[in-house]
Amino acid sequence: MMNRWHVLKRLMPLLAGMVLLLSACGRADLSTLRPQGPVAEEQFGLMKLSITIMILVVIVVFAIALYVIIRFRRRPGDKTVPVQVEGNHKLEIIWTVIPIILLIILGVPTIKTVFNLAEDYTKDPNAVQVKVTAHQYWWEFEYPTYGIKTAQELLIPNDAIISVEAKTADVLHSFWIPSLAGKVDTNPGGNVNIMYFEAPNTGVYLGKCAELCGPSHSLMDFKVKVVDRASFERWVAAQKSPVALPSDPEIAEVLTTQCLSCHAVGANGGQLYPNLTGMGSRESVAGILINTDQPQYENEGSVEDNLKKWIKDPQAVKPGTLMPQVPLSDQQLDAIAKYLADLKLNY
Ligand code: CUA
């Protein structure tokens, strides 16, 4: 007996340390455990409720089990056969009724939340409507009300409900902004799933693809940029204003033939692949190369360096991407990266 207590006592600091460590983990821009909006808040509430119930059950069951194991253990020299029990009405009713009560306590708020979160805002004129299309391995965001299409960065105002209609262009993906709202799958076959969320705090939040969709699934990140209403209106206007092609005719020609056959810059170019308008103002290139002036990690760099890295060898950055390796001279690559990095939006 003494030995076992000893072991447990020695484990205590370790367990306490783990609890501390785990409670400290969770970034406000990435964690469901640090909700940043009412929808995430509601979902977190359900998690807390179910975990609390589970912990209570575990504690009670373990306490009873331990008590029985210790109190009724076979003592040295005891050769008697214990009393044989067959059924106990009182106990059976208790351990049937308690789980039913627990399930009701858990079930009522769960069902209420499920219906709350299924609310359809797609016809609500006060909500910001966004059509999300998942592609291997990037996200397209269309704002039908404003006639805007963009990629990898969902810019939204902090004072409205964001109503999402999500679909996929290829395989199964899942749209997830952990600290703002829980996932919605994008299913092949023309199916459209809806969800909504609100983000009252301005800032940048991380979005993820939450469904294994190919070799670059884990790199299928996006950002949600929450700004105030005035900035949002300025962004909408900036997105729609005309963009000039490079002044050097050779570079303009290369850009038009090599890039704008698929991508759009302002009103120029194709719509099938990520829209590059305002590239220089984005948080990342290809969703995964983080734009920063003080790079610390391998996937960080200036917008220009990240663009060069991406254009030069897309497969090295995102295996399986449909972005082809474009035949460009070093000089052309520099000029195109510079041009795209200079495409900034003021908002
Ligand atoms: Cu898309 Cu995982």
Side-chain angles (χ1 to χ4, degrees), residues 69-147:
I69 288 169
I70 294 164
R71 172 81 173 72
F72 299 106
R73 71 190 186 279
R74 186 188 286 274
R75 289 162 211 266
D78 183 0
K79 293 270 188 304
T80 58
V81 175
V83 185
Q84 300 299 296
V85 181
E86 284 179 34
N88 182 322
H89 271 129
K90 212 198 259 172
L91 279 177
E92 282 159 16
I93 288 168
I94 289 174
W95 70 53
T96 307
V97 169
I98 290 177
I100 290 175
I101 293 171
L102 291 180
L103 282 180
I104 291 171
I105 294 175
L106 185 61
V108 171
T110 302
I111 292 169
K112 214 176 125 225
T113 303
V114 166
F115 278 94
N116 276 351
L117 298 182
E119 194 76 47
D120 184 352
Y121 286 98
T122 57
K123 303 282 180 294
D124 184 341
N126 296 320
V128 172
Q129 303 294 335
V130 185
K131 291 192 167 168
V132 173
T133 307
H135 299 255
Q136 279 174 318
Y137 303 98
W138 61 280
W139 296 91
E140 179 183 321
F141 304 114
E142 187 188 351
Y143 302 67
T145 327
Y146 303 103

Side-chain angles (χ1 to χ4, degrees), residues 172-173 209-213 217 220:
L172 177 63
H173 304 267
C209 175
E211 193 71 62
L212 184 62
C213 55
H217 151 70
M220 198 171 153

Side-chain angles (χ1 to χ4, degrees), residues 265-310:
V265 167
N268 315 308
Q271 292 293 338
L272 280 178
Y273 293 95
N275 189 303
L276 305 178
T277 312
M279 199 64 220
S281 304
R282 298 219 185 134
E283 301 288 318
S284 60
V285 170
I288 198 73
L289 299 174
I290 308 300
N291 301 332
T292 167
D293 292 330
Q294 278 124 18
Q296 286 184 346
Y297 302 101
E298 206 193 325
N299 68 330
E300 295 183 341
S302 68
V303 192
E304 220 172 311
D305 288 346
N306 284 343
L307 280 162
K308 279 191 236 175
K309 189 172 171 184
W310 169 243

Side-chain angles (χ1 to χ4, degrees), residues 22-73:
L22 290 174
S23 59
C25 79
R27 286 160 43 183
D29 63 341
L30 181 61
S31 177
T32 46
L33 305 180
R34 294 182 63 184
Q36 301 296 311
V39 168
E41 204 75 70
E42 202 171 342
Q43 292 165 337
F44 186 47
L46 279 185
M47 281 192 248
K48 283 190 287 191
L49 177 66
S50 53
I51 289 170
T52 308
I53 293 176
M54 282 187 257
I55 290 173
L56 283 177
V57 170
V58 166
I59 289 174
V60 171
V61 169
F62 270 64
I64 295 173
L66 272 176
Y67 171 77
V68 171
I69 288 169
I70 294 164
R71 172 81 173 72
F72 299 106
R73 71 190 186 279

